[in-house]
Amino acid sequence: KYRIERVLIMKINHIALYTNDLERIREFYEKYFGATANTKYHNKNTGLQTYFLGFEGSDTRLEIMTRPEISQREERTVNEGFIHLAFSTGSDSEVDRLTEMLVKDGYKCLSGPRTTGDGYYESVIEDPDGNLIEITV
């Protein structure tokens, strides 16, 4: 019989996404979600360019990447794989404020702000590339 001798504590280190416009996506996450970017990495052999975006109070980072051969995914809402990033604001009023600011600035709100059936207060917006962002308490 197998016995676990030691329990490992796992944390999400980072999540990565591709974009065709690296600077636009970096600026979006900096402006609306308080991200801080590291120095851009550029691999001249492959064309890969990346930033790691950090968020105050969190060890989890968002890696944004681009390279010449990426293609767009048409359907983003109902398909297999990762479907959204969720950012916690700390309060209902901050969910409302941030959602209102994003909509005013021309970003599409797909739902909310609302209380979901399982009790979360949230809204869902699209980032500049159409990736789904859940804004929650």
Side-chain angles (χ1 to χ4, degrees):
K1 192 171 188 175
Y2 181 75
R3 184 173 159 209
I4 297 175
E5 295 295 326
R6 189 178 99 171
V7 176
L8 297 176
I9 297 174
M10 297 295 210
K11 294 181 183 180
I12 294 176
N13 179 277
H14 71 275
I15 298 162
L17 65 86
Y18 273 123
T19 180
N20 277 311
D21 192 334
L22 192 63
E23 299 304 326
R24 178 182 69 172
I25 289 293
R26 178 188 54 77
E27 290 169 3
F28 173 82
Y29 286 99
E30 287 175 338
K31 178 177 181 178
Y32 296 104
F33 297 96
T36 303
N38 71 340
T39 302
K40 181 173 26 176
Y41 167 76
H42 184 196
N43 182 319
K44 293 183 187 331
N45 294 328
T46 65
L48 174 70
Q49 297 179 58
T50 70
Y51 285 108
F52 273 96
L53 305 179
F55 301 89
E56 187 173 337
S58 176
D59 294 334
T60 304
R61 298 171 297 156
L62 178 61
E63 182 181 16
I64 55 175
M65 309 179 298
T66 193
R67 61 187 317 146
E69 69 273 15
I70 65 171
S71 61
Q72 288 188 335
R73 181 178 69 180
E74 294 303 318
E75 174 56 45
R76 294 176 184 269
T77 58
V78 183
N79 56 34
E80 289 186 83
F82 294 105
I83 197 61
H84 68 257
L85 295 176
F87 287 90
S88 176
T89 64
S91 70
D92 291 6
S93 61
E94 278 301 301
V95 172
D96 294 343
R97 185 193 67 75
L98 183 54
T99 303
E100 184 178 309
M101 181 190 317
L102 285 155
V103 169
K104 181 177 166 242
D105 288 350
Y107 295 99
K108 186 175 180 181
C109 181
L110 303 179
S111 71
R114 67 189 179 96
T115 301
T116 64
D118 54 358
Y120 288 93
Y121 189 73
E122 67 181 37
S123 65
V124 177
I125 60 100
E126 290 183 345
D127 78 3
D129 286 348
N131 297 303
L132 302 183
I133 307 298
E134 186 177 284
I135 303 166
T136 188
V137 176

